[in-house]
């Protein structure tokens, strides 16, 4: 019998916990036990990947109910998505049965805010706004953008505006701060003001308004706040690193000073900054919650020890994080492998070969869905089964792909005035809008191609007329080109390269188009293949792709959510049991795969941008002076914050691997992530898969050829 002390502690744990642990029937580590026993006061649990945080959360709920006799109705457990709340309830039921499963409150933060607003409306006799669902919100944004731009926005434009609207609300930005947000060529401030005005005029609120209204009620109505504090004296929050600034403020008010708040997260896994995730709240937890305890679970039970060591070394270079060192429970068996390829074409051919020989679960991870398109093209052509997780496939509705498809289609039907008005400003014509419209009107009257009418418009400058004659000849030649040559002609001879948005992402888009074009005999064939791939991928996705904000209502799903199970779309006629899985890193969060390949790990793609050494040193100096838990770090936030989030995204990708990890880098191209993971060395295996001979791309990520 262990020694018994006077305060009811056995071996350092309360007797109630010892009795509960026997019922639980699961062995917990000392770190996990400490977390389960932490019931009173504010507690932040930092849980590294694969450390068993969900087991701890569920075990802690069980201990509160069965070990301490806390009424289930007094415990509020919040997490990031509806899918995650359902999964947590399912796991609670699998641990403890159905007796109390329906009495414990599992909610998203939006779900809690809905309850707060409904309670306020009922007690105050107020009428509340209806929710503008995703379809209505997107339609409003689309209408406003059309009015502001004088033309229909792309799907990407709508997504970008809605993302920024959600970001502004969730970061609690002032009107001036929101006006300063960049949103491509769109006048975001004007659009945002008009959007909010139209919502109010229709008696509507969106899901981000729901957060703002609930916060206002809690701040201005002490009786309402006190009601919810009495209702839920115990508050638990999962995925705290994904929680936004306004959500953290709502949680802080609900918990109260010194309240029983238990937050679980990991600042190293915060990857939703574009949705206003606010990991800074984890760094300032001790300042914001006096008397708080910060616990750590730093043992990884998932991955090979070599993978854990590489991942820990990599993330250790981030500046704004807690000092913690991830250790492995599993032995070291296989070294992570860096595969150095000549170009992206060779990368995809090697992945295709890996797909052919996959006998067990294998995942290909990438920063965004554009990286998957060339691989999907090859897999579909070869009839190799695959699954693909989530995503909005904005690649197909992006400006570059949309423009090139429109140019190809106009080249094959030069009488299409509507198509011409979409592309005239994207080509080297020098035409004003009035001149372009005059050409279309003349073509309609004379029943001739727009390209012919261009040469007959009265009053054209000689230089513009000559440029239009060149465009006319180049468009005719385009219809006879093979697809790769047509793509080069569009970018160089038609002048599209001079008009397209500069930057490595645009070059990567051109590279992707060129890889698909290699398999097509004509420009029209390329356009049709893009249509087929879009139907194969985007057409199978559910929900509104414009819904990408942080706030998630009960009954709605959110892509890429940890703990959830977003749809896995198989290839044509492929069963869900296919071993090959393609996924963005965001959609892979919370999951694990036996074998992982990380694609496109080169500067300009992953990461999208690398700060200068001077910027990095300035940020380090600021953190040395002010501390990592400083409420504000202007230099760091302005120059380094986004880069460190991309480092965290890569860290999440690495820690999805259970047994084997392969990272692609490119010869002659810099890759700070690959260098950092392999400590500028490591094992490099260029013969792991037979290398096909592929032609080089005319566009290099670091050297623009347009």
């Amino acid at each position: 019998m262990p020694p018994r002390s006077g305060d009811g502690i056995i071996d350092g744990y309360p007797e109630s916990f010892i009795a509960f642990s026997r019922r639980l029937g699961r062995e917990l580590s000392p770190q996990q036990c400490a977390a389960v026993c932490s019931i009173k006061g504010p507690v932040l649990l930092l849980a590294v990947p694969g450390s068993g945080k969900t087991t701890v959360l569920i075990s802690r709920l069980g201990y509160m109910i069965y070990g301490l006799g806390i009424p289930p109705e007094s415990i509020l457990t919040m997490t990031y998505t509806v899918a995650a709340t359902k999964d947590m309830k399912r796991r609670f039921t699998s641990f403890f049965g159905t007796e109390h499963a329906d009495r414990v409150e599992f909610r998203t933060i939006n779900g809690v805010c809905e309850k707060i607003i409904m309670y306020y409306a009922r007690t105050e006799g107020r009428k509340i706004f209806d929710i503008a669902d995703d379809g209505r919100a997107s339609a409003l944004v689309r209408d406003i953008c059309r009015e502001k731009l004088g033309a229909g926005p792309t799907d990407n434009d709508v997504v970008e505006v809605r993302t920024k609207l959600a970001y502004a609300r969730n970061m609690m930005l002032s009107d001036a701060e929101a006006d300063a947000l960049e949103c491509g060529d769109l006048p975001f401030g004007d659009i945002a003001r008009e959007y909010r005005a139209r919502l109010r005029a229709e008696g509507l609120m969106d899901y981000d308004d729901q957060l703002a209204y609930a916060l206002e009620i809690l701040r201005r109505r002490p009786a309402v706040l006190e009601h919810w504090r009495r209702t839920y004296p115990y508050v638990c929050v999962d995925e705290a690193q994904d929680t936004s600034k306004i959500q953290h403020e709502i949680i802080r008010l609900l918990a109260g000073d010194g309240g029983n708040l238990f937050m679980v997260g990991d600042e190293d896994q915060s990857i939703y900054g574009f949705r206003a995730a606010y990991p800074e709240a984890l760094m300032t937890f001790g300042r914001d919650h006096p008397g708080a305890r910060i616990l750590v679970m730093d043992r990884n039970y998932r991955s090979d020890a070599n993978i854990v060591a590489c991942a820990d070394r990599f993330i250790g270079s981030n500046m704004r994080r807690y000092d913690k060192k991830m250790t492995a429970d599993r032995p070291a068996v296989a070294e992570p492998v860096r595969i150095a390829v000549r170009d992206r074409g060779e990368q995809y051919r090697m992945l295709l070969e890996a797909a052919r020989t996959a006998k067990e679960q294998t995942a290909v991870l990438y920063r965004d869905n554009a990286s998957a398109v060339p691989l999907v093209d090859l897999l579909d052509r070869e009839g190799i089964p695959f699954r693909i997780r989530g995503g909005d496939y904005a690649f197909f509705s992006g400006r570059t792909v949309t423009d090139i498809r429109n140019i190809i289609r106009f080249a094959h039907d030069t009488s299409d005035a509507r198509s011409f008005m979409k592309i005239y400003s994207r080509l080297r014509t020098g035409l004003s809008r009035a001149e372009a419209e005059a050409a279309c009107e003349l073509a309609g009257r004379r029943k001739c191609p727009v390209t012919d009418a261009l040469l007959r418009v009265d009053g054209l400058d000689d230089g513009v007329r000559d440029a239009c004659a060149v465009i006319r000849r180049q468009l005719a030649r385009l219809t006879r080109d093979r697809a790769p040559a047509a793509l080069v002609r569009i970018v160089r001879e038609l002048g599209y390269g001079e008009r397209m948005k500069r930057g490595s992402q645009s070059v990567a888009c051109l590279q992707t188009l060129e890889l698909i074009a290699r398999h097509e005999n004509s420009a029209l064939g390329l356009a049709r293949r893009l249509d087929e791939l879009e139907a194969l991928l985007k057409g199978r996705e559910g929900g509104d792709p414009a819904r990408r904000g942080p706030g998630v209502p009960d009954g709605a799903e959110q892509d890429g959510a940890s703990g959830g199970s977003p749809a896995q779309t198989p290839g044509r006629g492929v069963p869900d049991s296919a071993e090959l899985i393609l996924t963005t890193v965001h959609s892979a969060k919370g999951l694990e795969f036996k074998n992982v390949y990380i694609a496109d790990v080169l500067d300009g793609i992953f990461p999208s941008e690398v700060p200068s050494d001077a910027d990095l040193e300035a940020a380090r100096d600021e953190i040395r002076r002010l501390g990592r838990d400083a409420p504000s770090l202007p230099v760091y936030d302005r120059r380094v914050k986004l880069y460190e989030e991309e480092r965290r995204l890569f860290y999440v990708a690495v820690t999805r691997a259970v047994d084997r990890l392969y990272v692609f880098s490119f010869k002659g191209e810099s890759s700070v992530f690959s260098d950092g993971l392999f400590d500028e060395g490591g094992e490099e295996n260029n013969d792991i898969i037979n290398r096909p001979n592929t032609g080089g791309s005319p566009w290099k990520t670091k050297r623009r050829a347009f």
Side-chain angles (χ1 to χ4, degrees):
M1 187 76 175
R4 189 185 300 268
S5 65
D7 58 0
I9 302 296
I10 302 178
D11 286 342
Y13 298 110
E15 290 185 15
S16 58
F17 177 73
I18 298 296
F20 168 75
S21 64
R22 295 193 186 103
R23 169 178 180 152
L24 183 65
R26 293 171 183 261
E27 185 176 345
L28 301 177
S29 72
Q31 288 181 336
Q32 292 172 333
C33 288
V36 171
C37 290
S38 298
I39 306 301
K40 296 293 185 179
V43 178
L44 172 61
L45 174 62
L46 301 171
V48 305
S51 60
K53 74 173 181 66
T54 304
T55 296
V56 166
L57 272 168
I58 298 302
S59 299
R60 183 177 178 275
L61 286 172
Y63 175 51
M64 294 171 73
I65 295 167
Y66 297 101
L68 299 177
I70 294 173
E73 294 84 359
S74 66
I75 306 169
L76 173 61
T77 299
M78 291 181 280
T79 192
Y80 190 49
T81 67
V82 172
T85 61
K86 292 177 180 177
D87 184 63
M88 193 171 293
K89 182 174 181 179
R90 178 187 60 78
R91 295 182 73 163
F92 180 87
T93 302
S94 70
F95 271 47
F96 302 110
T98 59
E99 180 184 6
H100 296 305
D102 290 332
R103 296 173 62 194
V104 179
E105 191 80 43
F106 296 102
R107 286 245 174 197
T108 63
I109 298 177
N110 269 86
V112 173
C113 289
E114 180 184 24
K115 292 187 69 171
I116 292 169
I117 294 171
M118 294 293 289
Y119 175 81
Y120 168 74
R122 187 170 62 253
T123 56
E124 298 281 337
R126 298 293 185 92
K127 183 181 184 303
I128 61 174
F129 287 170
D130 293 327
I131 286 286
D133 62 20
D134 292 328
R136 180 59 187 145
S138 291
L140 268 178
V141 168
R142 193 176 298 278
D143 289 345
I144 296 167
C145 287
R146 183 181 293 109
E147 294 167 11
K148 300 292 184 183
L149 296 173
T154 66
D155 289 345
N156 274 14
D157 291 335
V158 175
V159 170
E160 188 169 6
V161 170
R162 289 205 62 198
T163 299
K164 287 296 195 299
L165 287 168
Y167 181 86
R169 270 294 204 213
N170 278 268
M171 287 298 290
M172 304 169 70
L173 300 184
S174 66
D175 289 343
E177 290 170 328
D179 284 349
L181 292 177
E182 293 184 4
C183 196
D185 298 328
L186 300 168
F188 175 72
D190 292 343
I191 293 171
R193 278 184 286 276
E194 183 65 22
Y195 172 74
R196 296 294 172 202
R198 292 194 188 183
L199 281 179
R200 288 193 296 271
E202 295 185 23
L204 297 173
M205 62 178 169
D206 63 17
Y207 294 121
D208 305 303
D209 291 331
Q210 195 175 54
L211 299 171
Y213 295 159
L215 177 59
E216 186 176 2
I217 290 168
L218 294 177
R219 283 175 169 175
R220 295 189 177 186
R221 295 291 188 271
V224 175
L225 176 59
E226 184 58 30
H227 165 79
W228 291 109
R229 284 180 176 175
R230 288 196 309 269
T231 302
Y232 299 121
Y234 298 91
V235 177
C236 310
V237 181
D238 189 18
E239 302 291 355
Q241 76 281 344
D242 296 331
T243 304
S244 71
K245 187 174 184 178
I246 194 171
Q247 291 168 343
H248 276 291
E249 180 63 14
I250 291 167
I251 291 165
R252 187 188 68 79
L253 287 173
L254 289 174
D257 294 336
N260 303 315
L261 173 62
F262 186 75
M263 298 191 77
V264 184
D266 180 9
E267 79 285 4
D268 289 334
Q269 296 184 74
S270 181
I271 60 174
Y272 291 105
F274 64 98
R275 296 180 187 166
Y278 193 65
E280 291 87 345
L282 275 64
M283 299 304 302
T284 62
F285 190 83
R287 290 176 182 256
D288 299 336
H289 301 275
R293 287 175 291 158
I294 299 177
L295 308 178
V296 178
M297 296 196 313
D298 57 13
R299 193 157 190 83
N300 180 299
Y301 296 93
R302 172 191 297 153
S303 303
D304 182 284
N306 287 320
I307 296 173
V308 171
C310 284
D312 181 71
R313 181 176 62 244
F314 178 84
I315 201 61
S317 296
N318 268 27
M319 300 177 202
R320 199 167 195 193
R321 65 185 296 269
Y322 285 98
D323 287 326
K324 57 183 184 293
K325 184 174 180 59
M326 182 169 59
T327 59
D329 187 68
R330 294 180 55 200
V333 177
E335 289 280 353
V337 176
R338 171 159 46 180
I339 306 175
V341 293
R342 289 184 291 269
D343 57 26
R344 295 179 76 205
E346 185 176 23
Q347 169 188 254
Y348 290 119
R349 297 302 303 182
M350 294 178 77
L351 285 170
L352 180 66
E353 188 62 31
R356 282 197 182 101
T357 59
K359 296 292 192 297
E360 57 186 7
Q361 187 189 57
T362 300
V364 180
L365 274 58
Y366 33 84
R367 185 183 181 277
D368 56 54
N369 281 297
S371 291
V373 176
L375 181 57
V376 169
D377 180 48
L378 291 176
L379 293 169
D380 186 58
R381 291 178 191 274
E382 298 283 337
I384 295 174
F386 67 93
R387 286 179 283 163
I388 192 160
R389 289 183 55 84
D392 57 12
Y393 301 101
F395 171 82
F396 295 101
S397 57
R399 178 60 61 191
T400 299
V401 175
T402 299
D403 286 342
I404 287 177
R405 282 202 278 195
N406 286 336
I407 291 168
I408 291 172
R409 288 180 176 127
F410 179 71
H412 285 80
D413 182 6
T414 54
S415 296
D416 187 348
R418 187 175 180 182
S419 290
F420 178 72
M421 291 305 298
K422 292 178 180 178
I423 67 167
Y424 80 92
S425 64
R426 315 300 291 169
L427 306 179
R428 196 189 292 125
T429 63
L431 289 166
S432 68
R433 182 174 184 85
E435 290 167 339
E437 289 174 342
C440 292
E441 190 272 334
L442 181 61
R445 281 193 288 110
R446 297 196 176 187
K447 307 298 183 186
C448 68
V450 178
T451 48
D452 290 349
L454 281 171
L455 306 182
R456 302 170 186 170
V457 173
D458 293 333
L460 277 190
D461 179 87
D462 288 343
V464 173
R465 199 180 304 277
D466 290 343
C468 289
V470 171
I471 294 298
R472 181 173 178 268
R473 289 195 299 273
Q474 294 297 337
L475 287 170
R477 291 170 183 170
L478 177 67
T479 63
R480 301 189 293 271
D481 284 336
R482 285 180 55 84
L487 198 56
V488 173
R489 189 180 301 280
I490 290 170
V491 173
R492 295 178 179 166
E493 307 305 327
L494 289 168
Y496 181 69
E498 300 165 10
R499 305 297 195 273
M500 70 183 292
K501 183 179 179 180
R502 298 293 177 165
S504 55
Q505 293 298 318
S506 295
V507 177
C509 181
L510 286 177
Q511 290 176 346
T512 296
L513 290 170
E514 192 269 334
L515 288 166
I516 298 169
R518 291 179 186 183
H519 306 282
E520 297 296 335
N521 290 323
S522 67
L524 199 56
L526 172 60
R528 287 169 177 163
R529 182 57 179 164
L530 290 171
D531 291 344
E532 291 173 357
L533 291 172
E534 184 173 18
L536 174 64
L537 296 173
K538 185 178 178 181
R540 294 173 181 235
E541 297 303 322
D544 176 14
R547 175 63 187 155
R548 291 293 180 264
V552 184
D554 278 5
E557 302 295 343
Q558 181 156 336
D559 169 57
S562 166
S565 301
Q568 298 191 10
T569 305
R572 293 175 181 169
V574 175
D576 288 344
S577 59
E579 296 291 356
L580 182 68
I581 302 165
L582 314 184
T583 176
T584 62
V585 184
H586 286 101
S587 291
K589 185 149 183 288
L591 304 178
E592 60 185 48
F593 310 97
K594 288 182 70 65
N595 307 303
V596 167
Y597 291 84
I598 308 179
D600 282 346
V601 185
L602 81 155
D603 299 351
I605 297 180
F606 198 6
S608 58
E609 189 173 345
V610 181
S612 68
D613 291 342
D615 286 347
L616 291 169
E617 186 52 41
R620 289 190 194 97
D621 180 66
E622 180 179 62
I623 288 175
R624 282 192 293 265
R625 288 186 293 105
L626 302 179
R628 287 170 297 185
D629 63 344
S632 176
L633 293 169
V635 174
Y636 172 88
D637 289 345
R638 185 171 66 253
R639 301 179 181 177
V640 179
K641 181 179 179 179
L642 292 179
Y643 173 64
E644 290 217 332
E645 175 162 318
E646 289 204 77
R647 289 181 58 84
R648 297 194 294 267
L649 185 65
F650 186 67
Y651 171 74
V652 168
V654 169
T655 53
R656 300 311 95 195
V658 174
D659 293 336
R660 294 186 179 276
L661 174 68
Y662 305 95
V663 178
F664 281 98
S665 58
F666 296 75
K667 290 185 175 181
E669 303 276 3
S670 58
S671 177
V672 295
F673 284 3
S674 182
D675 290 346
L677 184 70
F678 293 96
D679 198 21
E680 299 188 6
E683 181 177 345
E684 183 173 306
N685 189 341
N686 295 331
D687 299 315
I688 189 166
I689 304 171
N690 291 329
R691 292 165 161 265
N693 185 15
T694 61
S697 169
W699 296 285
K700 300 295 184 182
T701 305
K702 305 297 283 187
R703 296 182 295 280
R704 304 181 187 124
F706 54 87

